[in-house]
């Protein structure tokens, strides 16, 4: 069985390949797809050029592959077209398993990031691919900049209110992708994946305090207050609106679900918030 991991030089892609190797996959059976193959030379597996914007490179990368792990692209606004190229190539190649890293409740969520994931899931279904959908919650690593800022200012400001986040470390989500790639019995499943504990931003501020050794206060702000502050900080209108909308989605509960599915898949508890943050401090 040959497993292709797209976006192999990204944070998640690298960890998925490492998890596959840790779980006993033959390095010769893993293919790392990367736009810049030189950046993937240290992965210890076969590397092929795969550029989402170059369908010919995608088709060549997928040829002869049994399983495709499509790590969602990072370019907001362009991801549907990029994902379409991989879906088309996988269908033409007749892959036996297609794994996609989606977003929580992608087909019903109001989260500003959800529409592109919803569209991708619909394209996968329309193509009739034997798929496994991994709806990943937030990565704890997303809070690296907030942690650094809190260490300097003693303040965590956001528009999330009492909203909860069931985050986990990227390694947890990467292990889940490796499990479903290597095991039988997952095709047709849609897994909502999150950490074992859903925490509030007050909890996050307390965790920042524990790690930094200084008191960090959570300062909640309204949507309009946050939008104004982001504009004042120099963000353009579109980016400021996007960030504020993300926090509004969290406030509304878009990332609060946690039912233990991720822990069950990987066979261990998910990485606690404090441990995940200490690893990036």
């Amino acid at each position: 069985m040959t497993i292709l991991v797209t976006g192999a030089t990204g944070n998640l892609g690298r960890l998925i390949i490492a998890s596959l190797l840790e779980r006993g996959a033959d390095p010769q059976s893993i293919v790392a797809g990367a736009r810049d193959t030189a950046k993937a030379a240290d992965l210890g597996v076969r590397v092929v050029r795969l550029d989402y914007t170059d369908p010919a490179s995608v088709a060549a990368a997928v040829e002869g592959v049994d399983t495709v792990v499509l790590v969602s692209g990072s370019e907001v606004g362009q991801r549907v077209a990029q994902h379409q190229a991989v879906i088309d190539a996988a269908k033409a190649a007749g892959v036996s398993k297609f794994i996609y890293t989606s977003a929580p409740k992608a087909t019903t969520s109001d989260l500003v990031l959800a529409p592109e994931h919803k569209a991708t899931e619909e394209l996968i279904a329309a193509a009739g691919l034997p798929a496994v959908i991994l709806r990943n919650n937030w990565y704890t690593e997303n809070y690296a900049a907030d942690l650094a800022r809190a260490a300097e200012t003693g303040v965590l400001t956001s528009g999330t209110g009492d909203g909860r986040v069931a985050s986990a470390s990227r390694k947890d989500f990467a292990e889940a992708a490796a499990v479903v790639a290597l095991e039988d019995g997952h095709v047709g499943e849609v897994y909502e994946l999150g950490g074992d504990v859903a925490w509030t931003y007050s909890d996050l501020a307390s965790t920042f305090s524990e790690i930094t050794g200084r008191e960090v206060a959570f300062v909640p702000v309204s949507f309009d207050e946050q939008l104004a502050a982001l504009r004042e900080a120099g963000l353009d209108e579109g980016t400021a609106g996007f960030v504020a909308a993300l926090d509004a989605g969290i406030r509304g509960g878009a990332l609060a679900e946690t039912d233990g599915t991720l822990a069950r898949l990987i066979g261990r508890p998910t990485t606690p918030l404090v441990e995940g943050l200490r690893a990036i401090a």
Side-chain angles (χ1 to χ4, degrees):
M1 181 178 68
T2 305
I3 303 169
L4 169 69
V5 179
T6 76
T9 59
N11 291 324
L12 183 60
R14 281 183 169 275
L15 288 171
I16 291 172
I17 289 173
S19 294
L20 287 167
L21 293 172
E22 288 170 4
R23 288 179 175 269
D26 182 347
Q28 297 301 313
S29 72
I30 303 171
V31 182
R35 183 182 303 176
D36 184 347
T37 56
K39 292 181 179 179
D42 62 336
L43 291 173
V45 300
R46 183 159 64 93
V47 179
V48 297
R49 181 174 177 272
L50 192 159
D51 184 339
Y52 291 141
T53 65
D54 179 3
S57 76
V58 179
V62 173
E63 186 176 354
V65 166
D66 301 298
T67 296
V68 172
V69 182
L70 172 55
V71 177
S72 58
S74 59
E75 297 172 90
V76 176
Q78 302 179 47
R79 289 188 283 196
V80 178
Q82 293 175 351
H83 297 164
Q84 176 78 75
V86 182
I87 292 165
D88 289 346
K91 181 178 180 180
V95 301
S96 57
K97 188 186 296 182
F98 190 91
I99 301 163
Y100 174 61
T101 62
S102 190
K105 298 186 180 298
T107 53
T108 57
S109 175
D110 292 330
L111 194 68
V112 67
L113 283 173
E116 287 185 299
H117 292 289
K118 178 177 184 290
T120 299
E121 288 191 22
E122 291 171 346
L123 290 171
I124 293 169
L129 291 172
V132 188
I133 306 298
L134 304 178
R135 291 179 173 170
N136 291 353
N137 205 303
W138 247 220
Y139 306 132
T140 297
E141 290 85 350
N142 290 351
Y143 295 94
D146 294 295
L147 175 58
R149 193 177 304 113
E152 293 180 1
T153 66
V155 175
L156 171 65
T157 302
S158 84
T160 54
D162 294 327
R164 292 182 175 272
V165 180
S167 77
S169 292
R170 274 198 188 91
K171 188 176 189 300
D172 300 339
F173 293 105
E175 285 188 35
V179 167
V180 300
L182 293 170
E183 292 183 353
D184 294 331
H186 297 286
V187 169
E189 296 291 344
V190 177
Y191 292 123
E192 297 284 349
L193 302 180
D196 294 336
V197 177
W199 46 262
T200 67
Y201 270 60
S202 291
D203 299 325
L204 182 61
S206 296
T207 306
F208 284 175
S209 297
E210 181 179 347
I211 292 170
T212 63
R214 69 171 298 176
E215 188 66 27
V216 176
F218 170 49
V219 179
V221 294
S222 69
F223 179 88
D224 290 339
E225 288 170 337
Q226 184 179 26
L227 196 57
L230 291 168
R231 290 170 179 151
E232 188 176 338
L235 272 66
D236 62 79
E237 191 68 24
T239 303
F242 184 82
V243 173
L246 275 178
D247 277 10
I250 292 172
R251 185 173 61 246
L255 302 180
E257 181 171 309
T258 175
D259 65 1
T261 299
L262 177 54
R264 286 192 293 274
L265 274 178
I266 63 179
R268 62 168 175 81
T270 59
T271 305
L273 178 64
V274 66
E275 290 184 18
L277 289 172
R278 278 205 179 103
I280 59 173

